Amino acid sequence: MKTAMLNNNLININRVSRGMFQSLYDEGKKGHLQCPVCKEKVRFYIGINQEPHFYHIHHLNYSCEDVDDSPAMPQERVEYEERNGFRIPVSRTIVSTLEPENIIKKAQPVKKIPPFIPESMSKYNYSFQYLDTLARSGVILDSEQADAVSRTEGPLLVLAGAGSGKTRVLTTRTAFMIQEKNIDPKSIMLVTFTAKAAAEMKDRLSSYPNMENMQIRQIVSGTFHSLFYRILSFHAPEKWSFNKLLSKGWQREQMIKQAGRELNLDEKEFAYDLALQQIGFWKNTLVSPEKVRPVSSWDESVANLYKKYEQAKEEEGLFDFDDMLIGCYDLFSHNPAILENYQNRFQYFLIDEFQDINKVQYELIKMLSAKSKNVCAVGDDDQSIYAFRGSDPEYLLDFEKDFPGAEVVALKQNYRSTHEIVSTANQVIVQNKKRRSKKMKAQYTGENAPYLFYPFDEEEEATSIVTDIQEKIEEGFEPKDFAVLFRTNTGSRAVFERLANSSLPFRIDQDAESFYDRFIVRSMLSFLQLALNEDDKGAMKNILPALFMKQTVIKDLMAESILNDCTLLECLKHVKTGFAFQESKLKKVIPVIRSIAHLAPVQAIEKIEKELGFQDFVKKRGNEGNKIEKGSDDVKDLKVAAKSFTGLRDFLEHTEHMRAMNKEIKQLSKKNQNAITLSTIHRAKGLEYKVIYIVGAVDGSLPHDHALEAYRNGDFAPIEEERRLMYVAITRAMAHLYISVPEKSRGRKAYPSRFLAPLIREKTTKGI
C-alpha cells in the first residue's frame, strides 16, 4: 500500500518528502497510522529487499487497495475573442498541477560478477610423510599451502589473501618442522599480533597428530611485545619489572596531562588521546623526541609533550608498551654479544600478519634473523590498514630486497566467502596501484549477489539494516551471524540507537564511547542543558572551553552566584577577562541561551553555532590534530540525531538514555556471545560473519575526508589504505553482503564512494 491515514490526513508516500519516511516509520510504531479503507492500524516498511510501503500489522487477509488521492484532472480556463465571426482562444491557464513523485532507488546487485567455474582444490603430492599423516587426520592442504609449509629453509614470503587459511599454514608449518624436519621446537619463534591468536595457534597445534604438549610448550610464541619484554626482563629485571609498566590507558593519560599542565595546555581543550597516538607512532617508527621535526603547531605541542612524557617516565623508572620494543632494540644495538646469543638460540621465525609490522618490529626481526635467514613472513598487503600506528605495507612489498633470495608463495584460494563476494572484493582492490598482483578464487558459489542499497540518510540506513536483520532472524539466522561495520565510531550512532530500542541483542567494542560523550558533542549539548537549567554546574564547565575560558573560572562563577543570588548563567556577565571583546561576547551568551529554550533541537544547535561562534571553537580543535574524526563532523551528526525531536527536554533525555545504554551494552558484550556485532572495520579485521552490512559508503566517509584531502595534495597512500579498508570490510562476509550508499550524509548530499565505481559501472575503469 502507498496510502495511509495520519491525524485524519491521507498520506501518499509518493507525495511526501523522502526525508519524512523515517518519521512515518516512527509514527507507525507508535500506532498512529491507519489504513484508509478498513481503519485498522498499519505500519510503514523501510528495509532493503522491498520498496517502502504501508502494511497491516496483523498480516490478516486484508486486500485493501490504495485510496486514489490524485487530484482531479486540472481544469482549463480558456478565454476567447471574436475575430471575423469566429471565437478564437487567446490564453489557456492550468489552475492546478500534479506534484512530482518520489524517486526511490531500488537496491541493486553488484555488476560484472563473472560466472563461477567450479575448481576442485588443487591436490598436493604429499611426498612428505607428515603431510600425508596430516591429510589422513583431516588436515588437508591445497598445493600452495603445502608448498608454503614444506619450504622451511631460507626466507619465505607467504601472500595469504583473505580467507586463504593462513593460520592453518602457520600451524601446520610449525608441526611439519618439528615432526618431519626434527627441528628443535625451542629454536622456533612464532610471532603473532594478539595474545588470542597465539593461544589459538597452540590449541590447534595440540590437535595435530604426534604433537606432544611438551613440544608445544617449548615453542617460543606470543606477540611482539610479550616476546621482547621477556628478553628485557631477563637481562634487566629491576628496570623492567612488571609493576613499573604503565599498563592502563588512564595511567599514560595522567602522566601526559601532567606534562600538559607544565606546558599550559588546557586539559578540557587539548586532545590528549590523539597526542598519545601520535607519540606512539613516533616511537614505533624509531623517532626519538630529539628527532621529531614538527610541521604544524599541533606537532610542536605534541613534540614538547613527548619530551616531557619520556623524561617523567625515566625519572620515575616507569615504561609503557612501546618501550618494550624500543628497549629491546637498544639492548641488541648496544650489546652485540647478547644479540648473537639470541641469533644462535632462534633459528626459525614465523611471523603472522606481516602487513601490519612497523619499523621497530621489522628491525628487531632483521637483527635476530641475520644469521639464519630463516624468516617465514605471512601476510597480505591488501589488508594493511594500520598506518596510524606505524604499520607500513612497504616491508611486505620490499621483502626480497631485505631478504635476498627470498621465495614467494601466494595462497589464492578463499575458503571463507562465496564467489560473488570474492569477485566483488577483487574488483575493488585491483584499483590500487601499489600492491602485489594477485586474484583470490572462491571455492563455492552462493545464491545471493552482494547488494548496494540507497537509504535517504543515516536514520533510514539504520532502520533498513535493523529491518533486514529482523527478517533474516525470522528465517532462521542467529544474532551472532550479523556484523554492522563502519569507518569510524561515529558511524555507529544511528544503528546503535535503533538496536537499543529493539529487542535484538548486540555488542560493541569495550572502548567505544557513546556518541553523546564525545568532546564536541558534549560541549554543544551543555548549551542546551543550560537553557533548561541555568544552574547546571556540569554543563557550565563543559561550555567554558567553547567560550575560550579556562576551567578555573567555574570557581569564580560559583562564588559570584552565591554573593549576588543569581544563576551560574547570569554570572557570565560579571566575568572580567581583561578583553572587552570577550567580555561583550560573554554577556551575549545569556540571552542567546535563554532564547533557545523553546526551539526545536536542530534550530537551537544552529543558533549556538551562528551566534556564539561555536564553529570557531570546533575549527580550533580540528586544527589541533583531530584529522580522523573531525569536530565539525560531530556537530553535523548531532543535527541528524536531533531532527527527530521537537523539544530540548525530550532530546536531552534521549541522549542521557543512549549514554546509559552504551555502558549497559558494554557490560552485556562481555557475557552475550550470541549478539549482533557493531564494529569499526579496523576492529573487525581477522573476523568473519555470515552477513555483513557496510554503512556510509560515500566519499567523505569511506574514503574518509582526510584521505581525499591528501589525494588532492598529491599523496596517494591514504586513499589506497582506505580502499584496503573497504576490501577488508567486504571480505569479512561469508554469505551475504550489503553496502549502504545513503543519498545524504550529515545533512548534505552525498556521492557514492569512488571505490564502488567498478561495482556499478558496466565497464570497469582503473584509477583512483
Side-chain angles (χ1 to χ4, degrees):
M1 291 174 56
K2 291 190 174 184
T3 55
M5 299 296 296
L6 173 63
N7 299 327
N8 294 321
N9 293 316
L10 185 64
I11 303 293
N12 186 314
I13 61 176
N14 285 338
R15 292 181 172 80
V16 297
S17 164
R18 178 71 187 273
M20 291 294 295
F21 279 18
Q22 183 61 44
S23 295
L24 288 175
Y25 177 86
D26 294 334
E27 293 292 347
K29 287 191 72 175
K30 295 172 185 175
H32 295 166
L33 297 177
Q34 286 183 316
C35 172
V37 178
C38 66
K39 307 306 179 185
E40 292 292 328
K41 290 183 178 180
V42 295
R43 286 189 180 175
F44 189 59
Y45 176 90
I46 296 178
I48 295 176
N49 294 315
Q50 301 177 50
E51 289 188 40
H53 61 272
F54 296 106
Y55 65 95
H56 291 85
I57 297 174
H58 302 296
H59 303 288
L60 299 177
N61 294 322
Y62 288 105
S63 56
C64 303
E65 296 182 1
D66 282 313
V67 173
D68 184 9
D69 70 330
S70 59
M73 287 301 293
Q75 299 296 312
E76 296 179 351
R77 186 174 67 252
V78 184
E79 295 180 1
Y80 297 89
E81 65 178 6
E82 293 279 344
R83 287 186 186 175
N84 301 321
F86 294 95
R87 296 180 68 234
I88 300 173
V90 293
S91 67
R92 296 195 298 181
T93 305
I94 305 298
V95 297
S96 62
T97 58
L98 291 172
E99 296 179 40
E101 291 195 354
N102 272 319
I103 299 175
I104 301 170
K105 195 170 183 179
K106 295 180 181 179
Q108 61 173 314
V110 166
K111 308 282 187 186
K112 302 288 286 184
I113 301 272
F116 176 67
I117 301 174
E119 182 179 328
S120 59
M121 188 171 72
S122 49
K123 300 292 182 181
Y124 182 76
N125 180 14
Y126 295 116
S127 54
F128 296 103
Q129 183 178 346
Y130 191 67
L131 292 186
D132 185 55
T133 302
L134 282 171
R136 282 188 276 107
S137 70
V139 184
I140 301 172
L141 306 176
D142 63 37
S143 59
E144 289 87 6
Q145 291 173 335
D147 197 19
V149 166
S150 59
R151 294 176 184 266
T152 58
E153 305 304 311
L156 174 69
L157 176 63
V158 180
L159 296 175
S164 63
K166 68 178 180 63
T167 302
R168 172 167 287 197
V169 167
L170 281 167
T171 52
T172 53
R173 179 184 171 89
T174 305
F176 176 84
M177 291 164 65
I178 295 169
Q179 299 297 328
E180 183 79 26
K181 298 290 187 175
N182 295 316
I183 291 171
D184 185 352
K186 293 192 292 293
S187 70
I188 300 172
M189 180 181 283
L190 176 57
V191 188
T192 64
F193 269 81
T194 65
K196 181 182 177 184
E200 286 176 353
M201 287 190 188
K202 284 200 168 186
D203 285 344
R204 192 174 295 195
L205 278 168
S206 66
S207 68
Y208 289 166
N210 306 330
M211 285 298 296
E212 299 175 3
N213 288 333
M214 177 61 74
Q215 293 173 316
I216 296 171
R217 285 198 297 270
Q218 288 176 335
I219 300 166
V220 179
S221 67
T223 64
F224 276 101
H225 290 87
S226 67
L227 292 172
F228 292 111
Y229 175 66
R230 277 148 67 180
I231 292 173
L232 284 174
S233 60
F234 175 78
H235 291 281
E238 291 185 8
K239 180 180 179 180
W240 298 98
S241 173
F242 194 75
N243 60 16
K244 295 180 180 179
L245 171 66
L246 297 168
S247 60
K248 306 293 184 184
W250 65 265
Q251 295 173 308
R252 296 190 291 279
E253 276 199 22
Q254 194 175 60
M255 289 198 73
I256 202 169
K257 284 180 178 178
Q258 176 56 41
R261 284 191 282 272
E262 295 173 18
L263 295 169
N264 294 317
L265 296 175
D266 194 297
E267 187 172 320
K268 283 285 185 180
E269 287 189 42
F270 196 80
Y272 283 98
D273 54 341
L274 295 165
L276 277 170
Q277 181 176 300
Q278 181 62 52
I279 290 169
F281 175 85
W282 282 329
K283 294 175 78 168
N284 285 320
T285 50
L286 293 174
V287 177
S288 63
E290 296 74 27
K291 292 180 181 178
V292 173
R293 296 292 178 265
V295 295
S296 66
S297 59
W298 159 260
D299 280 350
E300 190 171 351
S301 296
V302 179
N304 291 330
L305 276 176
Y306 182 15
K307 191 177 295 184
K308 285 190 171 292
Y309 174 66
E310 294 300 308
Q311 289 172 350
K313 285 197 284 108
E314 188 174 350
E315 289 170 5
E316 297 184 36
L318 302 173
F319 62 94
D320 59 24
F321 284 102
D322 295 327
D323 292 325
M324 295 176 179
L325 301 181
I326 295 173
C328 207
Y329 176 80
D330 290 339
L331 176 70
F332 289 161
S333 298
H334 298 111
N335 298 276
I338 292 177
L339 173 59
E340 187 175 10
N341 179 47
Y342 284 102
Q343 287 173 335
N344 294 333
R345 161 77 189 278
F346 297 112
Q347 298 295 308
Y348 297 89
F349 302 88
L350 292 85
I351 307 164
D352 190 18
E353 303 285 9
F354 194 72
Q355 76 280 348
D356 294 334
I357 204 167
N358 60 39
K359 185 174 180 61
V360 66
Q361 293 164 342
Y362 190 64
E363 293 299 329
L364 283 166
I365 291 298
K366 279 174 61 181
M367 284 177 164
L368 286 174
S369 65
K371 276 192 174 183
S372 71
K373 307 292 185 185
N374 295 324
V375 175
C376 175
V378 180
D380 180 11
D381 54 307
D382 290 335
Q383 297 185 70
S384 179
I385 57 174
Y386 294 112
F388 64 88
R389 65 185 189 197
S391 300
D392 192 341
E394 292 288 343
Y395 299 123
L396 187 149
L397 293 170
D398 296 337
F399 187 79
E400 295 95 325
K401 293 180 183 178
D402 287 329
F403 295 92
E407 297 182 10
V408 179
V409 175
L411 308 182
K412 299 177 182 177
Q413 302 297 325
N414 181 300
Y415 298 99
R416 172 189 298 152
S417 309
T418 65
H419 164 71
E420 292 76 13
I421 291 170
V422 172
S423 296
T424 299
N426 285 338
Q427 288 187 68
V428 168
I429 201 60
V430 75
Q431 306 299 312
N432 267 5
K433 295 177 181 177
K434 206 164 188 178
R435 65 185 288 266
R436 287 184 180 261
S437 180
K438 53 190 172 297
K439 190 174 183 180
M440 297 299 295
K441 297 178 181 178
Q443 288 295 302
Y444 62 99
T445 186
E447 297 178 358
N448 304 288
Y451 266 81
L452 306 177
F453 66 103
Y454 302 89
F456 178 71
D457 60 7
E458 297 91 335
E459 301 300 320
E460 193 177 303
E461 174 183 66
T463 299
S464 299
I465 290 171
V466 173
T467 297
D468 197 68
I469 291 174
Q470 290 169 329
E471 290 172 350
K472 283 182 168 56
I473 288 176
E474 289 178 4
E475 294 170 6
F477 284 79
E478 294 189 73
K480 66 182 179 181
D481 295 333
F482 302 92
V484 183
L485 306 183
F486 31 87
R487 173 62 181 83
T488 59
N489 274 313
T490 52
S492 68
R493 194 267 314 159
V495 179
F496 177 93
E497 294 183 2
R498 210 67 78 250
L499 285 171
N501 290 322
S502 75
S503 58
L504 297 172
F506 67 102
R507 52 190 296 145
I508 58 175
D509 293 332
Q510 291 303 306
D511 60 350
E513 67 177 342
S514 168
F515 170 74
Y516 300 107
D517 278 327
R518 292 176 62 79
F519 183 77
I520 295 294
V521 175
R522 195 169 64 245
S523 297
M524 177 58 81
L525 290 176
S526 294
F527 281 99
L528 309 188
Q529 288 165 340
L530 280 171
L532 299 182
N533 179 5
E534 295 185 9
D535 278 317
D536 190 324
K537 180 183 173 183
M540 179 58 73
K541 289 179 71 174
N542 287 335
I543 74 165
L544 291 178
L547 300 175
F548 301 101
M549 306 286 291
K550 294 191 177 296
Q551 288 296 308
T552 51
V553 173
I554 192 68
K555 294 180 181 177
D556 298 333
L557 292 173
M558 292 178 69
E560 191 75 30
S561 174
I562 295 170
L563 289 172
N564 293 307
D565 191 24
C566 59
T567 66
L568 285 175
L569 180 64
E570 288 175 313
C571 291
L572 285 176
K573 64 185 177 185
H574 300 298
V575 173
K576 301 298 179 184
T577 66
F579 299 98
F581 172 79
Q582 191 174 30
E583 289 175 8
S584 173
K585 183 177 179 179
L586 287 176
K587 291 176 183 176
K588 184 182 178 183
V589 171
I590 302 168
V592 170
I593 289 182
R594 285 175 172 169
S595 71
I596 66 173
H598 301 293
L599 294 180
V602 171
Q603 294 173 317
I605 292 168
E606 289 175 345
K607 190 162 188 175
I608 296 298
E609 277 188 291
K610 293 174 184 175
E611 299 192 20
L612 296 185
F614 193 81
Q615 281 300 328
D616 295 334
F617 164 62
V618 171
K619 185 177 180 181
K620 178 177 182 292
R621 179 153 175 98
N623 288 338
E624 293 178 344
N626 196 346
K627 296 176 182 177
I628 299 297
E629 299 197 22
K630 295 181 179 179
S632 58
D633 290 349
D634 284 353
V635 177
K636 293 171 189 171
D637 284 328
L638 186 63
K639 289 180 187 175
V640 175
K643 72 177 186 179
S644 300
F645 296 85
T646 56
L648 293 190
R649 194 172 301 279
D650 286 346
F651 179 51
L652 291 172
E653 286 176 358
H654 168 75
T655 65
E656 285 303 313
H657 177 57
M658 288 301 113
R659 282 193 183 112
M661 285 296 296
N662 185 272
K663 293 176 183 176
E664 184 179 335
I665 295 300
K666 280 184 182 180
Q667 293 300 318
L668 292 174
S669 294
K670 298 175 183 178
K671 304 173 185 177
N672 192 356
Q673 298 302 310
N674 189 14
I676 300 158
T677 297
L678 298 189
S679 173
T680 62
I681 300 171
H682 285 97
R683 290 280 186 175
K685 185 172 172 290
L687 303 176
E688 60 185 30
Y689 302 88
K690 288 182 180 178
V691 188
I692 288 288
Y693 304 91
I694 303 174
V695 304
V698 294
D699 277 357
S701 179
L702 183 61
H704 196 278
D705 274 329
H706 83 90
L708 294 173
E709 185 177 345
Y711 173 60
R712 287 189 287 269
N713 293 327
D715 182 3
F716 296 169
I719 202 110
E720 292 222 337
E721 176 156 322
E722 292 287 301
R723 188 178 278 109
R724 293 195 291 270
L725 262 177
M726 176 70 86
Y727 175 79
V728 167
I730 290 170
T731 53
R732 299 313 93 201
M734 300 168 68
H736 300 266
L737 172 66
Y738 299 94
I739 303 175
S740 171
V741 188
E743 293 181 17
K744 287 183 176 289
S745 178
R746 300 187 170 105
R748 295 184 178 180
K749 180 176 175 56
Y751 297 91
S753 169
R754 60 194 62 204
F755 302 154
L756 301 178
L759 310 182
I760 299 170
R761 297 174 188 158
E762 291 297 335
K763 189 173 183 179
T764 306
T765 304
K766 271 203 170 188
I768 296 295

